[in-house]
Amino acid sequence: MQSNHTNNMGGGGNKLENLSHHCKETKPNPLAIFIKDKKRWILSLVKNSKQHQKLKAELAQLQINLDSTQLKLLDSIKQNQILQNQLKSQESKIKLQDSKLTKLTPQSYLRILEIHLAEHCNLNCFSCNHFSQLAPKGFPDILQFKQDMERLSNLTFGLVGRFHLMGGEPLLNPNCKDFFQVTRKYFPKSAIWLVTNGILLESQPKDFWESCRENKIEIHPTKYPIKVNWEVIEQKCKDFGIPLIFYDNSNIQKTSYKTILDLKGSLDSLNGFSYCHQANNCTHFKNGKIYPCSIAPNIQYFNAAFHQNLPITPIDFIDIYKAKDYHEILQFLAKPIPFCRFCNLAKWKSIGEWKTSKKEIGEYLE
Ligand code: SF4
Ligand code: SF4
């Protein structure tokens, strides 16, 4: 019966069962799910925390490594800087020694010989190291000059690298071209520079330019902060094929430099000579005598202007009529002269903007 009954229920009873099964599957117990999720979450927290701790430890170790690497790097940068400074100071010591050695070594032949074509100047520069702002009007005698150049040419076999015809202002000499001609005659292979402030170049007559061309004179002006029509001068030089080369660089204007003397002459001559940029370099030729610089041969103008008596003795120069040969001249120029004791080289300095002289002794004192 029962089975019948069941049977009687027929397919309808099965359907209900199936339905109830189906409901069980699609409607999970939310609490169980919640607990399950929370479990998972808590487990993941525990797991993550371990991971975090591990990562943190690794990071801390990395930081320690980084800090120590940084310290090592900083240390080696410092060491490098110390080494670089030591190298720089070694380099400047070597350069100084090298420059001292150059001054105290006789030249193989004279590289530069300076000659005044005028003692005075049309510019009035502060602390001029030729004392030309203090000098009265004066020119070398052309006959004496010819004789001196002939003797010098014989002594040197015509082997002088370069002449600087200068001053003072050389163009104040109305007979410049005669001096060009004599210099070229006795020194056919040397370079001859006309070293000028340029003020009088524009007004030079045609025969001046022709003489420059014939005697292969190069014009080397210094640019002072004064009005000079350089365009016209450049054109003139182009027209006559004469090299025009500015001192240093055409854009640089002259600044002022203070040449400081010690009136008592109490300094060490060798020390002064060794540090002097003029020594055995700006060799000066005046009245048949050669000096190692421009200071000693022109100190007479300082003495006269300021009632001083910084003496020049016969052992401060070499007389070309007494020198037995070129070798003796070159040897002489590579040694300090007694006058070096008056030059306070350690105090010589650039003082910036170019300025004019008030013709005061203070321009040459500390
Ligand atoms: S520095 Fe030159 S331009 Fe100036 S006063 Fe002396 S010689 Fe003349
Ligand atoms: S006298 Fe001596 S130290 Fe003075 S400028 Fe001449 S060479 Fe240099």
Side-chain angles (χ1 to χ4, degrees), residues 121 123 125 128 132 167-168 197 224:
C121 194
L123 258 187
C125 301
C128 169
S132 297
N197 60 32
Y224 288 88

Side-chain angles (χ1 to χ4, degrees), residues 259 261 269 271-280 292-297 316 335-345 348:
T259 306
L261 299 172
S269 292
N271 198 39
F273 187 87
S274 314
Y275 282 101
C276 178
H277 62 270
Q278 288 207 17
N280 200 12
C293 64
S294 70
I295 299 287
D316 282 297
K335 285 184 300 177
I337 54 173
F339 192 85
C340 293
R341 71 193 189 281
F342 291 101
C343 291
N344 196 347
L345 263 299
W348 288 20

Side-chain angles (χ1 to χ4, degrees), residues 125-176:
C125 301
F126 178 90
S127 197
C128 169
N129 61 11
H130 288 231
F131 306 102
S132 297
Q133 89 283 31
L134 306 172
K137 184 175 175 179
F139 307 113
D141 176 75
I142 187 70
L143 293 176
Q144 178 69 53
F145 183 73
K146 192 168 178 284
Q147 197 181 311
D148 292 349
M149 291 303 261
E150 188 176 2
R151 166 73 180 159
L152 189 68
S153 178
N154 291 335
L155 268 176
T156 61
F157 313 102
L159 195 58
V160 171
R162 192 163 88 210
F163 287 91
H164 288 182
L165 303 182
M166 58 194 306
E169 171 47 47
L171 294 175
L172 288 171
N173 189 324
N175 304 313
C176 272

